[in-house]
Amino acid sequence: MKGIIAKEPGGAEQLIYTEMPEPELTDSDILIEVHATAVNRTDILNREGNIGYVENPIIGVEVAGVVLDPNDHPTFSKGDRVMGLVNGGAYAEKAVMPADRAMKVPESLSFEEAAAIPEVYLTAYQTLYWLGNLKETETVLIHAGASGVGTAAIQLAKVLSNARVITTAGSEEKLSYCRELGADVVINYKEQDFAAEVERATDGQGVNLILDFVGASYWENNYKSIAVDGRWVVIGVLGGSTVNQVNLMDLMMKRVQLTGTLLTPRSNEYKAQLTTEFINQTTKYFEEGKLKPIVDTIFAIEQAGDAHRHMEANKNIGKIILRV
Amino acid sequence: MKGIIAKEPGGAEQLIYTEMPEPELTDSDILIEVHATAVNRTDILNREGNIGYVENPIIGVEVAGVVLDPNDHPTFSKGDRVMGLVNGGAYAEKAVMPADRAMKVPESLSFEEAAAIPEVYLTAYQTLYWLGNLKETETVLIHAGASGVGTAAIQLAKVLSNARVITTAGSEEKLSYCRELGADVVINYKEQDFAAEVERATDGQGVNLILDFVGASYWENNYKSIAVDGRWVVIGVLGGSTVNQVNLMDLMMKRVQLTGTLLTPRSNEYKAQLTTEFINQTTKYFEEGKLKPIVDTIFAIEQAGDAHRHMEANKNIGKIILRV
């Protein structure tokens, strides 16, 4: 079977689609014929050789496809349409997935749409609920609202919690898309001071939760934007990782809870629990069309390098998909 | 009635015991004849004029005494022995306390012992459980183990959670006291590298929870000491407030949850809920002597200045009490 690896750690030009060994099925896995996979920033780090925790040389952490071998797991039959997270090995014709992490694909969705769900929706769900403890009608600030996780988080916060959503993005096109997805307040971070806009939009109270993909360059404005007893979850450092001068007394005065998180390196057990809760909370909304996977562009798997360059150019709204 | 105020914002010499108006009883309060109160660092900040949220000019946030007027609150009768947090006004002959925050004093305890309980035990309980989510048999690192909150936290972590307790202090006397209270591993931070000791004591796994009273000067070693998925609660900045160079990717890689907190400025409702849960969880252990208030020194209220100097010299083990 064929799969995508990086010849050497480096740029997108290192990606090649080449003959690889069949994946090895352990007792806890099912075997999947991959029909679509999706690009994540962790794939780029992996391609660059900057991640130590992925053992599979084939890149990619999520797939949608058809069960080839249910491997005695009674929940699944050969031919079932499934989607979910894998421990590497997604950019390939076949992949193995822990059975307790596989989700059945809602009937209304294509494989390309299904492949746009697992990583961003599970990350958004984990961040909003398991780490951010978002409650009904609270206000949440979602940075990078047009990104994969951003588009999922806007929808989840509205549909599951009727939260007030304030979101930032860098173009009018992205902002109007966020508004269509349900964002209540949209801020163009290139033209507006987002802390001042948040202050205005919340009557000076600040937001109860921040989803922060940006990190260092937003630190000060995020602190200004957070409410007393606010939760602040850092899930990316697109604006740099090193903050100069953090004042701990500031964190004490506002009683801020700051959490750093990554989904990919978490345990199999954690991912299984998260998957189960996510399915229970969201399946009916996907079936009703109230939650939608957001697909930006679909590339053939042979064009994985172009797909990576597209993400690196930061122009996508929603997910970049590879069709296998 | 008489109470302690600061003539002007400043040092301990500013404290005077002087005639003050009787406290005003609102519907939600009971009136207490104060028999003992205790010194907290927040009192020192208040004396220095560095706290904006305490409106009562009389210093102090906790009392033990006798109910003078239950004010139609059916839980209490005139003459009941009670202890608890007040919204300022503790260093005085009389104080008002929200009725839903008053705790009956266990029979075995004196007023001086009872006055040593509310602030430090509620802070320790809040930090370990509400913010730190300490679970059975986890490992907790408690800095300043001989401080008021430290001595309470060591006992709570052992008695309520059978946790493994690692604690730091700055003298052999303090360390041996921590060991008597139940600490499993004690570290002299003046002579040992605590991060190296924690690494050794946890086989390189780190601790699940850190109670941090120290802040900036311990930042790097605390980061080294925390386990993946660890919780780190900052409740004091005795070692400075400003941390240079915080790496957010580090927080993401270890999935750290960093929470800043202060108890005194929290809402009446929060304090009432915390008090209720604390009583339910701990009363029997105080009665059995498994949890003990730790009294360092008892001063007469007229010597409040000396009591503040004693805390500022940082030599106390447990609480400094004022007898009224």
Side-chain angles (χ1 to χ4, degrees):
Chain A
M1 94 166 181
K2 294 178 86 176
I4 298 265
I5 60 168
K7 270 182 300 177
E8 313 244 327
E13 76 285 353
Q14 294 296 334
L15 298 179
I16 53 166
Y17 193 44
T18 185
E19 199 60 36
M20 293 293 290
E22 298 269 323
E24 280 182 40
L25 202 59
T26 70
D27 287 351
S28 55
D29 295 322
I30 58 177
L31 180 66
I32 294 165
E33 178 182 73
V34 179
H35 287 223
T37 175
V39 180
N40 290 287
R41 289 198 183 270
T42 194
D43 303 345
I44 293 172
L45 296 175
N46 198 17
R47 184 198 76 205
E48 293 169 338
N50 289 328
I51 288 190
Y53 51 75
V54 179
E55 289 174 19
N56 195 319
I58 298 176
I59 288 175
V61 296
E62 62 188 328
V63 302
V66 167
V67 175
L68 277 181
D69 182 352
N71 199 15
D72 290 334
H73 290 283
T75 322
F76 297 100
S77 309
K78 188 159 191 258
D80 281 351
R81 285 157 35 99
V82 295
M83 59 186 183
L85 298 177
V86 296
N87 294 328
Y91 294 12
E93 291 175 315
K94 294 179 192 170
V96 293
M97 181 188 291
D100 55 12
R101 219 192 271 176
M103 303 179 269
K104 294 201 174 152
V105 174
E107 283 196 17
S108 56
L109 300 182
S110 68
F111 288 117
E112 290 80 5
E113 289 170 320
I117 291 177
E119 178 73 13
V120 296
Y121 266 97
L122 288 168
T123 297
Y125 187 88
Q126 175 210 21
T127 309
L128 291 171
Y129 297 103
W130 283 23
L131 303 172
N133 193 22
L134 181 66
K135 300 188 224 24
E136 288 277 322
T137 72
E138 284 192 328
T139 300
V140 55
L141 173 61
I142 299 172
H143 288 302
S147 67
V149 179
T151 55
I154 292 169
Q155 295 179 71
L156 287 171
K158 294 307 295 182
V159 172
L160 300 187
S161 309
N162 191 26
R164 185 145 184 262
V165 173
I166 303 177
T167 190
T168 65
S171 74
E172 289 311 310
E173 183 198 2
K174 287 182 176 179
L175 291 174
S176 94
Y177 199 83
C178 292
R179 205 185 274 285
E180 277 173 42
L181 289 177
D184 299 284
V185 178
V186 299
I187 302 170
N188 187 330
Y189 69 82
K190 291 183 177 165
E191 296 175 0
Q192 296 169 288
D193 172 349
F194 81 77
E197 297 301 318
V198 166
E199 189 182 359
R200 190 180 346 239
T202 61
D203 290 331
Q205 296 300 300
V207 298
N208 308 106
L209 173 60
I210 298 177
L211 264 63
D212 180 9
F213 308 77
V214 179
S217 63
Y218 276 14
W219 179 269
E220 202 171 322
N221 274 340
N222 276 332
Y223 180 74
K224 285 185 195 163
S225 300
I226 202 163
V228 170
D229 290 319
R231 289 87 61 198
W232 174 350
V233 188
V234 183
I235 52 180
V237 289
L238 296 173
S241 176
T242 304
V243 185
N244 293 315
Q245 304 255 325
V246 169
N247 187 330
L248 297 176
M249 183 52 89
D250 286 347
L251 296 182
M252 291 169 68
M253 294 300 284
K254 279 198 173 177
R255 308 192 296 254
V256 170
Q257 183 188 83
L258 177 74
T259 307
T261 187
L262 289 172
L263 180 54
T264 304
R266 289 190 185 261
S267 69
N268 288 343
E269 187 188 13
Y270 183 98
K271 287 174 183 165
Q273 287 174 356
L274 180 63
T275 300
T276 303
E277 185 175 312
F278 173 76
I279 295 172
N280 291 338
Q281 293 294 320
T282 62
T283 298
K284 78 169 175 179
Y285 297 114
F286 279 111
E287 284 169 354
E288 294 168 8
K290 291 181 180 162
L291 292 173
K292 290 178 300 234
I294 309 299
V295 174
D296 176 82
T297 320
I298 301 172
F299 291 84
I301 189 153
E302 293 83 358
Q303 271 75 53
D306 293 334
H308 276 210
R309 283 182 205 102
H310 191 63
M311 173 167 276
E312 288 169 312
N314 219 12
K315 293 203 171 133
N316 55 304
I317 293 180
K319 294 288 286 186
I320 300 163
I321 302 297
L322 301 175
R323 182 185 287 131
V324 183
Chain B
M1 77 152 202
K2 294 179 87 175
I4 298 265
I5 60 168
K7 270 182 300 180
E8 313 244 327
E13 76 286 352
Q14 294 296 333
L15 297 179
I16 53 167
Y17 193 43
T18 186
E19 199 60 35
M20 292 292 290
E22 298 268 322
E24 280 182 40
L25 200 60
T26 69
D27 288 351
S28 55
D29 295 322
I30 58 176
L31 181 66
I32 293 166
E33 179 181 72
V34 179
H35 287 224
T37 175
V39 179
N40 290 288
R41 291 199 182 267
T42 193
D43 303 345
I44 293 172
L45 295 176
N46 198 16
R47 186 197 75 204
E48 294 170 337
N50 289 330
I51 288 190
Y53 51 75
V54 178
E55 289 175 17
N56 195 320
I58 298 175
I59 288 173
V61 298
E62 62 186 328
V63 301
V66 166
V67 175
L68 279 181
D69 182 352
N71 199 14
D72 291 335
H73 288 284
T75 321
F76 298 100
S77 309
K78 191 162 189 253
D80 281 353
R81 286 158 33 100
V82 294
M83 60 186 182
L85 299 177
V86 296
N87 294 329
Y91 292 14
E93 292 176 316
K94 295 178 191 170
V96 294
M97 181 188 290
D100 55 12
R101 221 191 269 176
M103 302 178 269
K104 295 203 173 149
V105 175
E107 283 196 17
S108 56
L109 301 183
S110 69
F111 288 117
E112 289 80 5
E113 290 170 319
I117 292 176
E119 178 71 15
V120 295
Y121 265 98
L122 288 168
T123 297
Y125 187 88
Q126 174 210 21
T127 309
L128 290 172
Y129 297 102
W130 283 23
L131 302 172
N133 194 22
L134 181 65
K135 299 187 224 22
E136 288 276 325
T137 73
E138 282 191 330
T139 300
V140 55
L141 173 60
I142 299 173
H143 288 302
S147 67
V149 179
T151 55
I154 291 169
Q155 295 179 71
L156 288 171
K158 295 307 295 182
V159 172
L160 300 187
S161 309
N162 191 24
R164 184 146 186 260
V165 173
I166 303 177
T167 190
T168 66
S171 75
E172 288 311 310
E173 183 198 2
K174 287 181 176 181
L175 291 173
S176 94
Y177 199 84
C178 293
R179 205 184 273 285
E180 277 174 41
L181 289 177
D184 299 286
V185 178
V186 300
I187 302 170
N188 187 330
Y189 68 83
K190 291 182 177 166
E191 296 175 2
Q192 296 169 287
D193 172 348
F194 81 76
E197 296 302 317
V198 166
E199 189 182 358
R200 188 180 347 238
T202 61
D203 290 330
Q205 296 300 299
V207 298
N208 308 106
L209 173 61
I210 298 177
L211 264 62
D212 180 8
F213 309 77
V214 179
S217 64
Y218 275 15
W219 179 268
E220 202 171 322
N221 275 341
N222 276 333
Y223 180 74
K224 285 185 197 163
S225 300
I226 202 162
V228 170
D229 290 320
R231 289 84 62 197
W232 174 352
V233 187
V234 183
I235 55 179
V237 289
L238 297 174
S241 175
T242 303
V243 185
N244 293 316
Q245 305 255 325
V246 169
N247 187 331
L248 297 176
M249 183 52 90
D250 286 347
L251 297 182
M252 291 168 68
M253 294 301 283
K254 279 197 173 179
R255 307 191 297 253
V256 170
Q257 182 187 83
L258 177 74
T259 307
T261 187
L262 289 171
L263 180 54
T264 305
R266 288 191 187 260
S267 68
N268 288 341
E269 187 188 13
Y270 183 98
K271 287 173 184 165
Q273 288 175 356
L274 179 63
T275 300
T276 303
E277 185 174 312
F278 174 76
I279 296 172
N280 291 339
Q281 294 293 321
T282 63
T283 297
K284 79 168 175 179
Y285 297 115
F286 279 111
E287 285 169 354
E288 293 169 9
K290 290 182 180 162
L291 292 174
K292 289 178 299 235
I294 309 299
V295 174
D296 176 82
T297 320
I298 301 173
F299 291 84
I301 188 152
E302 293 83 357
Q303 271 74 57
D306 293 334
H308 276 209
R309 283 181 206 101
H310 191 64
M311 174 167 275
E312 287 168 312
N314 220 11
K315 294 203 170 132
N316 54 304
I317 292 180
K319 293 290 284 184
I320 301 164
I321 303 296
L322 301 175
R323 182 185 286 130
V324 183

